[in-house]
Amino acid sequence: MSDQSPQNELAADERPSPDFVQAVLGMQIITGALAFGAACLTGVMLFLAKGDLGGQPEILSIIGFAMAAAHFVAHTIVPKFVMAKQLESIGKAELQSMAVEDQQMTVMTSMRSGHIIGSALLEGAVFFNAIAYMIEKWVGSLAIAGVFIVLILLRMPTVFGTQNKITDRLREIEMS
């Protein structure tokens, strides 16, 4: 088909550029490091509390639960907002005038910023709840920390998934 848009060419290209693969690898490393740090802190808090799970939720645990709820919502909204603002600053015409690979890397840069912020929001909730567990020994705080560690790991990007998200975003920009 000769009238393919650059985004369709991007979707048809099965091999992402080495720079793209490297950028996704960087996101994977950061995501893994955030999850590992959160898991280590939670493990240390569990060790320091000697595995005691008999505490009752007090003010710190309640704040930790509220913080976890707020950060869960924020981790879905803030990355999209950050990505949209960064892409707005570039402009549709400028983005469409770029080569396909440059478009992909431009969107990747804004996506990476949002991804890191979203993962860090989850990590913050883990840290607070792990500390709340160590102080109050309420198993709920420990459970929240564990669930949020899993959520960070579920955010682990893949080359294929990231490429599809970028292709979708470029189509949205083209249609707007």
Side-chain angles (χ1 to χ4, degrees):
M1 207 187 267
S2 61
D3 61 335
Q4 283 185 333
S5 68
Q7 290 76 15
N8 289 336
E9 291 171 16
L10 178 64
D13 183 18
E14 293 182 24
R15 293 186 183 194
S17 71
D19 289 340
F20 182 83
V21 173
Q22 197 70 18
V24 173
L25 178 62
M27 287 171 59
Q28 290 172 338
I29 291 169
I30 290 168
T31 305
L34 290 170
F36 182 73
C40 285
L41 177 75
T42 303
V44 167
M45 296 303 171
L46 185 60
F47 175 77
L48 291 175
K50 298 179 178 143
D52 185 1
L53 303 175
Q56 295 297 316
E58 295 179 27
I59 190 70
L60 205 55
S61 295
I62 293 167
I63 292 170
F65 179 79
M67 181 180 182
H71 281 218
F72 179 78
V73 172
H75 104 278
T76 62
I77 297 169
V78 173
K80 293 174 186 173
F81 180 77
V82 167
M83 183 176 177
K85 283 298 181 188
Q86 287 182 350
L87 290 175
E88 275 179 24
S89 70
I90 295 167
K92 179 180 175 180
E94 185 180 342
L95 188 63
Q96 289 178 333
S97 70
M98 296 177 183
V100 173
E101 192 172 305
D102 293 336
Q103 287 179 349
Q104 186 181 29
M105 291 307 294
T106 300
V107 174
M108 164 62 92
T109 300
S110 65
M111 183 181 286
R112 180 177 41 220
S113 299
H115 176 82
I116 293 168
I117 291 168
S119 298
L121 283 166
L122 295 174
E123 183 193 37
V126 171
F127 277 32
F128 193 93
N129 278 282
I131 292 167
Y133 164 73
M134 187 195 76
I135 294 170
E136 297 177 356
K137 296 175 184 52
W138 181 55
V139 70
S141 294
L142 190 61
I144 291 168
V147 167
F148 274 62
I149 291 167
V150 170
L151 287 174
I152 295 169
L153 290 171
L154 288 174
R155 291 177 56 84
M156 186 70 69
T158 63
V159 172
F160 181 72
T162 304
Q163 190 171 18
N164 284 339
K165 287 178 186 175
I166 289 171
T167 301
D168 290 345
R169 185 67 180 143
L170 287 169
R171 283 189 185 131
E172 288 173 14
I173 292 168
E174 183 180 300
M175 295 168 100
S176 66

